[in-house]
Amino acid sequence: MRDYVKSPMGIEEKSFEIIGEEMAPHNFTEEQLKVVKRVIHTTADFDYQNIIHFSEDAINKAKSILKEGKMIYTDTNMALSGISKPALKKLNCNVECFVAREDVKLEAKEKGITRSMAGVEKAVEEGVEFFVFGNAPTAIFKLLELVDAGKVKPKFVVGAPVGFVGAKESKELLEKYDIPYITIRGRKGGSAVAASIMNAIMYMMVER
Amino acid sequence: MRDYVKSPMGIEEKSFEIIGEEMAPHNFTEEQLKVVKRVIHTTADFDYQNIIHFSEDAINKAKSILKEGKMIYTDTNMALSGISKPALKKLNCNVECFVAREDVKLEAKEKGITRSMAGVEKAVEEGVEFFVFGNAPTAIFKLLELVDAGKVKPKFVVGAPVGFVGAKESKELLEKYDIPYITIRGRKGGSAVAASIMNAIMYMMVER
């Protein structure tokens, strides 16, 4: 049998050690660093060190909302799958991919908009205030439209849509609002990145 | 209302156009290029142009297996979520995340190995020959051990584990075997990348 590390937690610890050694000098707080390292762990892409941004006191703000046991919106089934269910359960939180709902699919088709946009509308109707975007810039634009219209005041947004059409712009616009956020600037991001940001925060709060 | 592209297919087409314009010169075949572009679309990371590798005639080989309506192994719920269910259905294929099964979890815990390793053992027992790895290098090592032991002759492997401990090595070793593959060399990869490779292949075969 070949000699390779087989313990899952052993692999993770060793990975975080390597990431810490190879990261460029930085000014992250200890808690921010946990988020940054987990994103790099998920992508093997050190560029995330440069493009992740935290609004003031973002992690504490996210934690205080999660402590209240909230419903969390995600825009893809992949982000939904990636967010730790045991951690959510311990926090008494739920996460739902509104985009996958039948009523949302129908509405998107009728209006000729993305399912992510229709999903955001539905989530806002149902009182969701914590949003995790890993896919669709259109969902962020839609959310900010609803903010402009006074229909929602989001308490936290993970803004990590990936892509070439609108992703960068959606995150730049988000950062202009008075909403606590963690964003990935530019084109990069994705469902796995969004999920890893959520997990990093939750793992600070609960035993694994 | 802000002016942004709201049609999902419009966004995808425009994205692929931009990716094509920004890619460095290359020698990909037309079909390989569809895979490469979809991976870049998923990650916004042009580095994938350099680190994706195809064994000889890989795409045709993958297609001919998928045409047979097979069970496909994945090593994470995220890859499972990311692989297009409508496309699978049209091909009469199934995908299962063996790692998430209760019997596999128990076995991994008892043996102190990763769930991905235990999941590969279970999949091989059940006759699976098409493997999609987006997370765990240990799963690739385990599969190759089972090949060495004459217990399985995989017909296709998507080798895209991400990470800092064993990922690179697992993919290097895989390429030494006489197994058709698409790999992401080095540390990068991930569930979303693995799923996008699968989707790119399936989208060549079915109407969306």
PDB file of all heavy atoms in Angstrom, chain A residues 1-2 4-6 22 44 78 81 114 117 138 145 148 165 173 177 187, chain B residues 1-2 4-6 22 44 78 81 114 117 138 141 145 148 173 177 187:
ATOM      1  N   MET A   1       0.844  -1.193   0.000  1.00  0.00           N
ATOM      2  CA  MET A   1       0.000   0.000   0.000  1.00  0.00           C
ATOM      3  C   MET A   1       0.884   1.250   0.000  1.00  0.00           C
ATOM      4  O   MET A   1       1.869   1.330   0.727  1.00  0.00           O
ATOM      5  CB  MET A   1      -0.881  -0.012   1.257  1.00  0.00           C
ATOM      6  CG  MET A   1      -2.150   0.787   1.084  1.00  0.00           C
ATOM      7  SD  MET A   1      -3.166   0.667   2.585  1.00  0.00           S
ATOM      8  CE  MET A   1      -4.753   1.177   1.970  1.00  0.00           C
ATOM      9  N   ARG A   2       0.540   2.184  -0.818  1.00  0.00           N
ATOM     10  CA  ARG A   2       1.344   3.391  -0.865  1.00  0.00           C
ATOM     11  C   ARG A   2       1.219   4.178   0.430  1.00  0.00           C
ATOM     12  O   ARG A   2       0.222   4.104   1.121  1.00  0.00           O
ATOM     13  CB  ARG A   2       0.894   4.272  -2.040  1.00  0.00           C
ATOM     14  CG  ARG A   2       1.280   3.683  -3.369  1.00  0.00           C
ATOM     15  CD  ARG A   2       0.778   4.549  -4.507  1.00  0.00           C
ATOM     16  NE  ARG A   2       0.802   3.763  -5.722  1.00  0.00           N
ATOM     17  CZ  ARG A   2      -0.241   3.060  -6.164  1.00  0.00           C
ATOM     18  NH1 ARG A   2      -1.387   3.071  -5.496  1.00  0.00           N
ATOM     19  NH2 ARG A   2      -0.151   2.355  -7.267  1.00  0.00           N
ATOM     20  N   TYR A   4       0.407   7.304   2.034  1.00  0.00           N
ATOM     21  CA  TYR A   4      -0.191   8.632   1.882  1.00  0.00           C
ATOM     22  C   TYR A   4      -1.065   8.936   3.096  1.00  0.00           C
ATOM     23  O   TYR A   4      -1.541   8.026   3.769  1.00  0.00           O
ATOM     24  CB  TYR A   4      -0.987   8.758   0.574  1.00  0.00           C
ATOM     25  CG  TYR A   4      -2.010   7.679   0.305  1.00  0.00           C
ATOM     26  CD1 TYR A   4      -3.328   7.829   0.710  1.00  0.00           C
ATOM     27  CD2 TYR A   4      -1.661   6.492  -0.351  1.00  0.00           C
ATOM     28  CE1 TYR A   4      -4.268   6.847   0.455  1.00  0.00           C
ATOM     29  CE2 TYR A   4      -2.598   5.501  -0.602  1.00  0.00           C
ATOM     30  CZ  TYR A   4      -3.898   5.684  -0.199  1.00  0.00           C
ATOM     31  OH  TYR A   4      -4.835   4.713  -0.430  1.00  0.00           O
ATOM     32  N   VAL A   5      -1.236  10.212   3.388  1.00  0.00           N
ATOM     33  CA  VAL A   5      -2.001  10.618   4.569  1.00  0.00           C
ATOM     34  C   VAL A   5      -3.468  10.255   4.355  1.00  0.00           C
ATOM     35  O   VAL A   5      -4.068  10.638   3.365  1.00  0.00           O
ATOM     36  CB  VAL A   5      -1.877  12.141   4.818  1.00  0.00           C
ATOM     37  CG1 VAL A   5      -2.586  12.524   6.101  1.00  0.00           C
ATOM     38  CG2 VAL A   5      -0.428  12.560   4.856  1.00  0.00           C
ATOM     39  N   LYS A   6      -4.024   9.489   5.290  1.00  0.00           N
ATOM     40  CA  LYS A   6      -5.371   8.978   5.084  1.00  0.00           C
ATOM     41  C   LYS A   6      -6.405   9.569   6.038  1.00  0.00           C
ATOM     42  O   LYS A   6      -7.600   9.393   5.850  1.00  0.00           O
ATOM     43  CB  LYS A   6      -5.365   7.455   5.210  1.00  0.00           C
ATOM     44  CG  LYS A   6      -4.532   6.778   4.140  1.00  0.00           C
ATOM     45  CD  LYS A   6      -4.511   5.271   4.331  1.00  0.00           C
ATOM     46  CE  LYS A   6      -3.496   4.625   3.396  1.00  0.00           C
ATOM     47  NZ  LYS A   6      -2.098   4.883   3.793  1.00  0.00           N
ATOM     48  N   GLU A  22       2.984  29.487   2.630  1.00  0.00           N
ATOM     49  CA  GLU A  22       3.157  30.001   1.267  1.00  0.00           C
ATOM     50  C   GLU A  22       2.446  31.332   0.999  1.00  0.00           C
ATOM     51  O   GLU A  22       2.648  31.950  -0.041  1.00  0.00           O
ATOM     52  CB  GLU A  22       2.687  28.945   0.249  1.00  0.00           C
ATOM     53  CG  GLU A  22       3.553  27.700   0.266  1.00  0.00           C
ATOM     54  CD  GLU A  22       3.265  26.768  -0.901  1.00  0.00           C
ATOM     55  OE1 GLU A  22       2.736  27.220  -1.940  1.00  0.00           O
ATOM     56  OE2 GLU A  22       3.562  25.569  -0.766  1.00  0.00           O
ATOM     57  N   ALA A  44      -7.018  25.989  -4.086  1.00  0.00           N
ATOM     58  CA  ALA A  44      -5.566  25.946  -4.339  1.00  0.00           C
ATOM     59  C   ALA A  44      -5.116  27.170  -5.131  1.00  0.00           C
ATOM     60  O   ALA A  44      -4.166  27.103  -5.909  1.00  0.00           O
ATOM     61  CB  ALA A  44      -5.153  24.646  -5.036  1.00  0.00           C
ATOM     62  N   MET A  78     -25.101  23.676  -5.613  1.00  0.00           N
ATOM     63  CA  MET A  78     -23.720  23.347  -5.242  1.00  0.00           C
ATOM     64  C   MET A  78     -23.313  24.040  -3.956  1.00  0.00           C
ATOM     65  O   MET A  78     -22.682  23.433  -3.094  1.00  0.00           O
ATOM     66  CB  MET A  78     -22.746  23.731  -6.357  1.00  0.00           C
ATOM     67  CG  MET A  78     -22.728  22.757  -7.491  1.00  0.00           C
ATOM     68  SD  MET A  78     -21.250  22.971  -8.522  1.00  0.00           S
ATOM     69  CE  MET A  78     -20.029  22.128  -7.515  1.00  0.00           C
ATOM     70  N   SER A  81     -24.983  22.313  -1.148  1.00  0.00           N
ATOM     71  CA  SER A  81     -24.314  21.054  -0.796  1.00  0.00           C
ATOM     72  C   SER A  81     -23.027  21.288  -0.022  1.00  0.00           C
ATOM     73  O   SER A  81     -22.653  20.494   0.827  1.00  0.00           O
ATOM     74  CB  SER A  81     -23.929  20.278  -2.056  1.00  0.00           C
ATOM     75  OG  SER A  81     -25.058  19.847  -2.722  1.00  0.00           O
ATOM     76  N   THR A 114     -33.286  35.269 -14.818  1.00  0.00           N
ATOM     77  CA  THR A 114     -32.604  34.107 -14.258  1.00  0.00           C
ATOM     78  C   THR A 114     -33.394  33.595 -13.049  1.00  0.00           C
ATOM     79  O   THR A 114     -34.085  34.352 -12.364  1.00  0.00           O
ATOM     80  CB  THR A 114     -31.161  34.428 -13.788  1.00  0.00           C
ATOM     81  OG1 THR A 114     -31.222  35.321 -12.678  1.00  0.00           O
ATOM     82  CG2 THR A 114     -30.341  35.037 -14.902  1.00  0.00           C
ATOM     83  N   MET A 117     -32.611  35.419  -9.895  1.00  0.00           N
ATOM     84  CA  MET A 117     -33.340  36.661  -9.629  1.00  0.00           C
ATOM     85  C   MET A 117     -34.694  36.352  -9.009  1.00  0.00           C
ATOM     86  O   MET A 117     -35.095  36.954  -8.007  1.00  0.00           O
ATOM     87  CB  MET A 117     -33.536  37.449 -10.921  1.00  0.00           C
ATOM     88  CG  MET A 117     -32.258  38.046 -11.468  1.00  0.00           C
ATOM     89  SD  MET A 117     -32.506  38.752 -13.127  1.00  0.00           S
ATOM     90  CE  MET A 117     -33.515  40.187 -12.722  1.00  0.00           C
ATOM     91  N   THR A 138     -26.702  38.340 -11.328  1.00  0.00           N
ATOM     92  CA  THR A 138     -28.055  38.897 -11.467  1.00  0.00           C
ATOM     93  C   THR A 138     -28.803  38.847 -10.129  1.00  0.00           C
ATOM     94  O   THR A 138     -29.647  39.694  -9.870  1.00  0.00           O
ATOM     95  CB  THR A 138     -28.871  38.110 -12.515  1.00  0.00           C
ATOM     96  OG1 THR A 138     -28.874  36.722 -12.180  1.00  0.00           O
ATOM     97  CG2 THR A 138     -28.284  38.290 -13.897  1.00  0.00           C
ATOM     98  N   GLU A 145     -31.704  45.973  -5.982  1.00  0.00           N
ATOM     99  CA  GLU A 145     -32.926  46.644  -6.442  1.00  0.00           C
ATOM    100  C   GLU A 145     -34.002  46.612  -5.363  1.00  0.00           C
ATOM    101  O   GLU A 145     -34.711  47.595  -5.131  1.00  0.00           O
ATOM    102  CB  GLU A 145     -33.477  45.964  -7.702  1.00  0.00           C
ATOM    103  CG  GLU A 145     -32.758  46.353  -8.986  1.00  0.00           C
ATOM    104  CD  GLU A 145     -33.287  45.589 -10.193  1.00  0.00           C
ATOM    105  OE1 GLU A 145     -34.325  44.894 -10.077  1.00  0.00           O
ATOM    106  OE2 GLU A 145     -32.653  45.683 -11.254  1.00  0.00           O
ATOM    107  N   ASP A 148     -33.070  49.059  -2.737  1.00  0.00           N
ATOM    108  CA  ASP A 148     -33.418  50.410  -3.213  1.00  0.00           C
ATOM    109  C   ASP A 148     -34.915  50.678  -3.062  1.00  0.00           C
ATOM    110  O   ASP A 148     -35.338  51.791  -2.757  1.00  0.00           O
ATOM    111  CB  ASP A 148     -33.045  50.578  -4.697  1.00  0.00           C
ATOM    112  CG  ASP A 148     -31.534  50.618  -4.915  1.00  0.00           C
ATOM    113  OD1 ASP A 148     -30.803  50.795  -3.921  1.00  0.00           O
ATOM    114  OD2 ASP A 148     -31.098  50.451  -6.078  1.00  0.00           O
ATOM    115  N   VAL A 165     -19.652  38.029 -17.069  1.00  0.00           N
ATOM    116  CA  VAL A 165     -20.705  38.986 -17.434  1.00  0.00           C
ATOM    117  C   VAL A 165     -21.403  39.460 -16.152  1.00  0.00           C
ATOM    118  O   VAL A 165     -22.276  38.780 -15.629  1.00  0.00           O
ATOM    119  CB  VAL A 165     -21.724  38.358 -18.403  1.00  0.00           C
ATOM    120  CG1 VAL A 165     -22.856  39.328 -18.720  1.00  0.00           C
ATOM    121  CG2 VAL A 165     -21.037  37.911 -19.692  1.00  0.00           C
ATOM    122  N   LEU A 173     -20.794  46.951  -6.859  1.00  0.00           N
ATOM    123  CA  LEU A 173     -21.995  47.678  -6.454  1.00  0.00           C
ATOM    124  C   LEU A 173     -22.398  47.310  -5.018  1.00  0.00           C
ATOM    125  O   LEU A 173     -22.716  48.185  -4.205  1.00  0.00           O
ATOM    126  CB  LEU A 173     -23.141  47.359  -7.426  1.00  0.00           C
ATOM    127  CG  LEU A 173     -24.381  48.236  -7.293  1.00  0.00           C
ATOM    128  CD1 LEU A 173     -24.064  49.697  -7.608  1.00  0.00           C
ATOM    129  CD2 LEU A 173     -25.502  47.736  -8.215  1.00  0.00           C
ATOM    130  N   TYR A 177     -23.037  49.624  -0.782  1.00  0.00           N
ATOM    131  CA  TYR A 177     -24.204  49.681   0.104  1.00  0.00           C
ATOM    132  C   TYR A 177     -23.771  49.534   1.563  1.00  0.00           C
ATOM    133  O   TYR A 177     -22.682  49.034   1.852  1.00  0.00           O
ATOM    134  CB  TYR A 177     -25.182  48.569  -0.262  1.00  0.00           C
ATOM    135  CG  TYR A 177     -26.048  48.909  -1.465  1.00  0.00           C
ATOM    136  CD1 TYR A 177     -25.502  48.964  -2.743  1.00  0.00           C
ATOM    137  CD2 TYR A 177     -27.402  49.192  -1.308  1.00  0.00           C
ATOM    138  CE1 TYR A 177     -26.280  49.268  -3.843  1.00  0.00           C
ATOM    139  CE2 TYR A 177     -28.199  49.501  -2.399  1.00  0.00           C
ATOM    140  CZ  TYR A 177     -27.632  49.538  -3.665  1.00  0.00           C
ATOM    141  OH  TYR A 177     -28.408  49.845  -4.747  1.00  0.00           O
ATOM    142  N   ARG A 187     -13.510  38.722 -11.185  1.00  0.00           N
ATOM    143  CA  ARG A 187     -14.282  37.671 -11.845  1.00  0.00           C
ATOM    144  C   ARG A 187     -14.394  36.391 -11.044  1.00  0.00           C
ATOM    145  O   ARG A 187     -15.298  35.595 -11.247  1.00  0.00           O
ATOM    146  CB  ARG A 187     -13.613  37.331 -13.172  1.00  0.00           C
ATOM    147  CG  ARG A 187     -13.752  38.400 -14.225  1.00  0.00           C
ATOM    148  CD  ARG A 187     -12.790  38.087 -15.365  1.00  0.00           C
ATOM    149  NE  ARG A 187     -13.100  38.835 -16.570  1.00  0.00           N
ATOM    150  CZ  ARG A 187     -12.394  38.719 -17.692  1.00  0.00           C
ATOM    151  NH1 ARG A 187     -11.352  37.891 -17.742  1.00  0.00           N
ATOM    152  NH2 ARG A 187     -12.738  39.420 -18.756  1.00  0.00           N
TER     153      ARG A 187
ATOM    154  N   MET B   1     -34.608  50.423 -13.114  1.00  0.00           N
ATOM    155  CA  MET B   1     -33.937  49.119 -13.132  1.00  0.00           C
ATOM    156  C   MET B   1     -32.610  49.224 -13.886  1.00  0.00           C
ATOM    157  O   MET B   1     -32.546  49.803 -14.960  1.00  0.00           O
ATOM    158  CB  MET B   1     -34.832  48.088 -13.821  1.00  0.00           C
ATOM    159  CG  MET B   1     -34.550  46.679 -13.317  1.00  0.00           C
ATOM    160  SD  MET B   1     -35.657  45.498 -14.156  1.00  0.00           S
ATOM    161  CE  MET B   1     -35.575  44.113 -13.031  1.00  0.00           C
ATOM    162  N   ARG B   2     -31.574  48.664 -13.287  1.00  0.00           N
ATOM    163  CA  ARG B   2     -30.265  48.728 -13.944  1.00  0.00           C
ATOM    164  C   ARG B   2     -30.265  47.877 -15.197  1.00  0.00           C
ATOM    165  O   ARG B   2     -30.986  46.908 -15.327  1.00  0.00           O
ATOM    166  CB  ARG B   2     -29.185  48.229 -12.988  1.00  0.00           C
ATOM    167  CG  ARG B   2     -28.938  49.209 -11.860  1.00  0.00           C
ATOM    168  CD  ARG B   2     -27.890  48.710 -10.891  1.00  0.00           C
ATOM    169  NE  ARG B   2     -28.012  49.470  -9.658  1.00  0.00           N
ATOM    170  CZ  ARG B   2     -28.741  49.074  -8.624  1.00  0.00           C
ATOM    171  NH1 ARG B   2     -29.405  47.936  -8.662  1.00  0.00           N
ATOM    172  NH2 ARG B   2     -28.825  49.823  -7.549  1.00  0.00           N
ATOM    173  N   TYR B   4     -28.733  45.191 -17.071  1.00  0.00           N
ATOM    174  CA  TYR B   4     -27.807  44.052 -17.026  1.00  0.00           C
ATOM    175  C   TYR B   4     -28.434  42.871 -17.751  1.00  0.00           C
ATOM    176  O   TYR B   4     -29.650  42.763 -17.872  1.00  0.00           O
ATOM    177  CB  TYR B   4     -27.411  43.687 -15.596  1.00  0.00           C
ATOM    178  CG  TYR B   4     -28.550  43.462 -14.636  1.00  0.00           C
ATOM    179  CD1 TYR B   4     -29.061  42.169 -14.429  1.00  0.00           C
ATOM    180  CD2 TYR B   4     -29.110  44.504 -13.913  1.00  0.00           C
ATOM    181  CE1 TYR B   4     -30.087  41.950 -13.529  1.00  0.00           C
ATOM    182  CE2 TYR B   4     -30.139  44.295 -13.018  1.00  0.00           C
ATOM    183  CZ  TYR B   4     -30.626  43.024 -12.831  1.00  0.00           C
ATOM    184  OH  TYR B   4     -31.640  42.804 -11.948  1.00  0.00           O
ATOM    185  N   VAL B   5     -27.576  42.002 -18.287  1.00  0.00           N
ATOM    186  CA  VAL B   5     -28.048  40.853 -19.053  1.00  0.00           C
ATOM    187  C   VAL B   5     -28.764  39.881 -18.113  1.00  0.00           C
ATOM    188  O   VAL B   5     -28.223  39.471 -17.097  1.00  0.00           O
ATOM    189  CB  VAL B   5     -26.866  40.111 -19.730  1.00  0.00           C
ATOM    190  CG1 VAL B   5     -27.384  38.982 -20.611  1.00  0.00           C
ATOM    191  CG2 VAL B   5     -26.019  41.070 -20.538  1.00  0.00           C
ATOM    192  N   LYS B   6     -30.024  39.569 -18.451  1.00  0.00           N
ATOM    193  CA  LYS B   6     -30.819  38.776 -17.529  1.00  0.00           C
ATOM    194  C   LYS B   6     -31.138  37.375 -18.033  1.00  0.00           C
ATOM    195  O   LYS B   6     -31.615  36.541 -17.286  1.00  0.00           O
ATOM    196  CB  LYS B   6     -32.122  39.507 -17.209  1.00  0.00           C
ATOM    197  CG  LYS B   6     -31.913  40.817 -16.477  1.00  0.00           C
ATOM    198  CD  LYS B   6     -33.226  41.542 -16.241  1.00  0.00           C
ATOM    199  CE  LYS B   6     -32.972  42.961 -15.764  1.00  0.00           C
ATOM    200  NZ  LYS B   6     -32.430  43.853 -16.802  1.00  0.00           N
ATOM    201  N   GLU B  22      -9.911  35.847 -24.748  1.00  0.00           N
ATOM    202  CA  GLU B  22      -8.818  36.094 -23.796  1.00  0.00           C
ATOM    203  C   GLU B  22      -7.875  34.915 -23.619  1.00  0.00           C
ATOM    204  O   GLU B  22      -6.817  35.061 -22.999  1.00  0.00           O
ATOM    205  CB  GLU B  22      -9.401  36.513 -22.436  1.00  0.00           C
ATOM    206  CG  GLU B  22     -10.131  37.846 -22.513  1.00  0.00           C
ATOM    207  CD  GLU B  22     -10.476  38.417 -21.142  1.00  0.00           C
ATOM    208  OE1 GLU B  22      -9.848  38.023 -20.143  1.00  0.00           O
ATOM    209  OE2 GLU B  22     -11.394  39.245 -21.087  1.00  0.00           O
ATOM    210  N   ALA B  44     -13.338  31.239 -13.608  1.00  0.00           N
ATOM    211  CA  ALA B  44     -12.742  32.515 -14.031  1.00  0.00           C
ATOM    212  C   ALA B  44     -11.228  32.483 -13.891  1.00  0.00           C
ATOM    213  O   ALA B  44     -10.594  33.508 -13.627  1.00  0.00           O
ATOM    214  CB  ALA B  44     -13.344  33.698 -13.264  1.00  0.00           C
ATOM    215  N   MET B  78     -20.997  18.044  -3.532  1.00  0.00           N
ATOM    216  CA  MET B  78     -20.944  19.241  -4.375  1.00  0.00           C
ATOM    217  C   MET B  78     -20.813  18.864  -5.848  1.00  0.00           C
ATOM    218  O   MET B  78     -21.478  19.461  -6.695  1.00  0.00           O
ATOM    219  CB  MET B  78     -19.776  20.148  -3.978  1.00  0.00           C
ATOM    220  CG  MET B  78     -20.046  20.962  -2.744  1.00  0.00           C
ATOM    221  SD  MET B  78     -18.866  22.334  -2.606  1.00  0.00           S
ATOM    222  CE  MET B  78     -19.560  23.491  -3.784  1.00  0.00           C
ATOM    223  N   SER B  81     -24.090  17.610  -7.008  1.00  0.00           N
ATOM    224  CA  SER B  81     -25.037  18.700  -7.271  1.00  0.00           C
ATOM    225  C   SER B  81     -24.738  19.417  -8.568  1.00  0.00           C
ATOM    226  O   SER B  81     -25.643  19.895  -9.246  1.00  0.00           O
ATOM    227  CB  SER B  81     -24.976  19.748  -6.156  1.00  0.00           C
ATOM    228  OG  SER B  81     -25.413  19.213  -4.962  1.00  0.00           O
ATOM    229  N   THR B 114     -10.322   7.987   4.851  1.00  0.00           N
ATOM    230  CA  THR B 114     -11.276   8.990   4.376  1.00  0.00           C
ATOM    231  C   THR B 114     -12.522   8.282   3.853  1.00  0.00           C
ATOM    232  O   THR B 114     -12.466   7.148   3.376  1.00  0.00           O
ATOM    233  CB  THR B 114     -10.708   9.880   3.244  1.00  0.00           C
ATOM    234  OG1 THR B 114     -10.514   9.084   2.075  1.00  0.00           O
ATOM    235  CG2 THR B 114      -9.408  10.534   3.650  1.00  0.00           C
ATOM    236  N   MET B 117     -12.179   7.120   0.312  1.00  0.00           N
ATOM    237  CA  MET B 117     -11.543   5.817   0.084  1.00  0.00           C
ATOM    238  C   MET B 117     -12.568   4.701   0.250  1.00  0.00           C
ATOM    239  O   MET B 117     -12.667   3.792  -0.586  1.00  0.00           O
ATOM    240  CB  MET B 117     -10.392   5.603   1.061  1.00  0.00           C
ATOM    241  CG  MET B 117      -9.194   6.494   0.798  1.00  0.00           C
ATOM    242  SD  MET B 117      -7.959   6.379   2.122  1.00  0.00           S
ATOM    243  CE  MET B 117      -7.310   4.735   1.811  1.00  0.00           C
ATOM    244  N   THR B 138      -7.006  10.848  -1.906  1.00  0.00           N
ATOM    245  CA  THR B 138      -6.998   9.492  -1.322  1.00  0.00           C
ATOM    246  C   THR B 138      -7.905   8.559  -2.113  1.00  0.00           C
ATOM    247  O   THR B 138      -7.639   7.361  -2.198  1.00  0.00           O
ATOM    248  CB  THR B 138      -7.460   9.520   0.147  1.00  0.00           C
ATOM    249  OG1 THR B 138      -8.737  10.143   0.226  1.00  0.00           O
ATOM    250  CG2 THR B 138      -6.469  10.264   1.009  1.00  0.00           C
ATOM    251  N   PHE B 141      -5.861   7.375  -5.099  1.00  0.00           N
ATOM    252  CA  PHE B 141      -4.874   6.369  -4.653  1.00  0.00           C
ATOM    253  C   PHE B 141      -5.558   5.029  -4.394  1.00  0.00           C
ATOM    254  O   PHE B 141      -5.072   3.976  -4.797  1.00  0.00           O
ATOM    255  CB  PHE B 141      -4.152   6.846  -3.383  1.00  0.00           C
ATOM    256  CG  PHE B 141      -3.150   7.946  -3.628  1.00  0.00           C
ATOM    257  CD1 PHE B 141      -3.218   9.141  -2.924  1.00  0.00           C
ATOM    258  CD2 PHE B 141      -2.117   7.793  -4.546  1.00  0.00           C
ATOM    259  CE1 PHE B 141      -2.290  10.159  -3.136  1.00  0.00           C
ATOM    260  CE2 PHE B 141      -1.181   8.799  -4.767  1.00  0.00           C
ATOM    261  CZ  PHE B 141      -1.275   9.983  -4.059  1.00  0.00           C
ATOM    262  N   GLU B 145      -4.977   1.434  -6.270  1.00  0.00           N
ATOM    263  CA  GLU B 145      -4.653   0.207  -5.515  1.00  0.00           C
ATOM    264  C   GLU B 145      -5.558  -0.937  -5.946  1.00  0.00           C
ATOM    265  O   GLU B 145      -5.116  -2.072  -6.105  1.00  0.00           O
ATOM    266  CB  GLU B 145      -4.843   0.448  -4.005  1.00  0.00           C
ATOM    267  CG  GLU B 145      -3.679   1.168  -3.350  1.00  0.00           C
ATOM    268  CD  GLU B 145      -3.949   1.458  -1.869  1.00  0.00           C
ATOM    269  OE1 GLU B 145      -4.942   0.936  -1.310  1.00  0.00           O
ATOM    270  OE2 GLU B 145      -3.153   2.212  -1.283  1.00  0.00           O
ATOM    271  N   ASP B 148      -4.389  -2.119  -9.247  1.00  0.00           N
ATOM    272  CA  ASP B 148      -3.197  -2.966  -9.057  1.00  0.00           C
ATOM    273  C   ASP B 148      -3.587  -4.363  -8.584  1.00  0.00           C
ATOM    274  O   ASP B 148      -2.977  -5.359  -8.969  1.00  0.00           O
ATOM    275  CB  ASP B 148      -2.259  -2.352  -8.013  1.00  0.00           C
ATOM    276  CG  ASP B 148      -1.594  -1.077  -8.521  1.00  0.00           C
ATOM    277  OD1 ASP B 148      -1.616  -0.838  -9.745  1.00  0.00           O
ATOM    278  OD2 ASP B 148      -1.060  -0.320  -7.688  1.00  0.00           O
ATOM    279  N   LEU B 173       0.128  10.106 -10.711  1.00  0.00           N
ATOM    280  CA  LEU B 173       0.115   8.641 -10.714  1.00  0.00           C
ATOM    281  C   LEU B 173      -0.980   8.118 -11.653  1.00  0.00           C
ATOM    282  O   LEU B 173      -0.744   7.190 -12.438  1.00  0.00           O
ATOM    283  CB  LEU B 173      -0.112   8.126  -9.283  1.00  0.00           C
ATOM    284  CG  LEU B 173       0.095   6.628  -9.077  1.00  0.00           C
ATOM    285  CD1 LEU B 173       1.543   6.226  -9.357  1.00  0.00           C
ATOM    286  CD2 LEU B 173      -0.290   6.218  -7.650  1.00  0.00           C
ATOM    287  N   TYR B 177      -1.219   5.274 -15.590  1.00  0.00           N
ATOM    288  CA  TYR B 177      -1.989   4.046 -15.834  1.00  0.00           C
ATOM    289  C   TYR B 177      -2.619   4.096 -17.226  1.00  0.00           C
ATOM    290  O   TYR B 177      -2.766   5.162 -17.824  1.00  0.00           O
ATOM    291  CB  TYR B 177      -3.087   3.904 -14.780  1.00  0.00           C
ATOM    292  CG  TYR B 177      -2.584   3.356 -13.465  1.00  0.00           C
ATOM    293  CD1 TYR B 177      -1.767   4.130 -12.636  1.00  0.00           C
ATOM    294  CD2 TYR B 177      -2.910   2.066 -13.055  1.00  0.00           C
ATOM    295  CE1 TYR B 177      -1.290   3.637 -11.434  1.00  0.00           C
ATOM    296  CE2 TYR B 177      -2.452   1.561 -11.853  1.00  0.00           C
ATOM    297  CZ  TYR B 177      -1.640   2.349 -11.042  1.00  0.00           C
ATOM    298  OH  TYR B 177      -1.179   1.849  -9.857  1.00  0.00           O
ATOM    299  N   ARG B 187      -2.040  21.399  -8.086  1.00  0.00           N
ATOM    300  CA  ARG B 187      -2.872  21.472  -6.881  1.00  0.00           C
ATOM    301  C   ARG B 187      -4.333  21.814  -7.167  1.00  0.00           C
ATOM    302  O   ARG B 187      -5.204  21.544  -6.359  1.00  0.00           O
ATOM    303  CB  ARG B 187      -2.322  22.552  -5.951  1.00  0.00           C
ATOM    304  CG  ARG B 187      -1.015  22.209  -5.292  1.00  0.00           C
ATOM    305  CD  ARG B 187      -0.441  23.466  -4.662  1.00  0.00           C
ATOM    306  NE  ARG B 187       0.629  23.163  -3.723  1.00  0.00           N
ATOM    307  CZ  ARG B 187       1.292  24.096  -3.048  1.00  0.00           C
ATOM    308  NH1 ARG B 187       0.993  25.379  -3.225  1.00  0.00           N
ATOM    309  NH2 ARG B 187       2.239  23.749  -2.191  1.00  0.00           N
TER     310      ARG B 187
END
